[in-house]
Amino acid sequence: MSLPEVLLWQALRARPDGFKFRHQHPAGPYVLDFYCPEAKLCIEVDGEAHERGNRLARDAERDTLLACHGIETLRIPARDILADLEAVVTAIITLATARRPLHRRSGGPPPRA
């Protein structure tokens, strides 16, 4: 992992606002940097390599495939994580909260009154 990924993982594995994140989560032919199943949110840390060659096209193709399965991709430049980790985590949690289902699955019907 790169330094920005390590810093972000340390923050996300603390389960901010109760959200569970997975690191290096497999999704079909891809591996997502971070994934929050409850919000169906993929977090990708983009370093310099994402700006070279055909990476932009490959990333767009991957984002489109994930979107077809209801997964939103949030791409965060590595430099933003290094500059202000707290602001990045706040933005992630804000988006995850907006994507959180209104009703969570329960273990059965509600109790009788």
Side-chain angles (χ1 to χ4, degrees):
M1 280 194 295
S2 66
L3 177 60
E5 289 175 326
V6 169
L7 295 172
L8 186 56
W9 179 231
Q10 287 175 342
L12 294 180
R13 74 176 176 191
R15 295 186 178 207
D17 274 9
F19 285 102
K20 179 181 179 182
F21 288 86
R22 297 177 183 160
H23 179 249
Q24 296 294 303
H25 179 73
Y30 304 107
V31 177
L32 313 181
D33 288 346
F34 304 99
Y35 179 65
C36 177
E38 181 181 4
K40 294 184 100 175
L41 179 61
C42 166
I43 310 296
E44 289 296 309
V45 177
D46 288 351
E48 292 177 20
H50 286 267
E51 299 171 3
R52 295 189 202 138
N54 67 344
R55 286 300 298 247
L56 289 174
R58 287 177 42 207
D59 288 346
E61 179 181 307
R62 179 170 102 152
D63 294 352
T64 300
L65 177 72
L66 292 174
C68 288
H69 293 280
I71 299 170
E72 183 170 343
T73 301
L74 176 61
R75 296 192 164 278
I76 302 172
R79 66 182 167 274
D80 290 357
I81 295 168
L82 294 173
D84 193 350
L85 176 62
E86 187 175 327
V88 168
V89 172
T90 298
I92 291 169
I93 297 309
T94 299
L95 182 55
T97 300
R99 292 185 53 80
R100 177 182 273 162
L102 295 177
H103 302 286
R104 296 182 186 200
R105 294 182 186 177
S106 67
R112 294 181 184 213

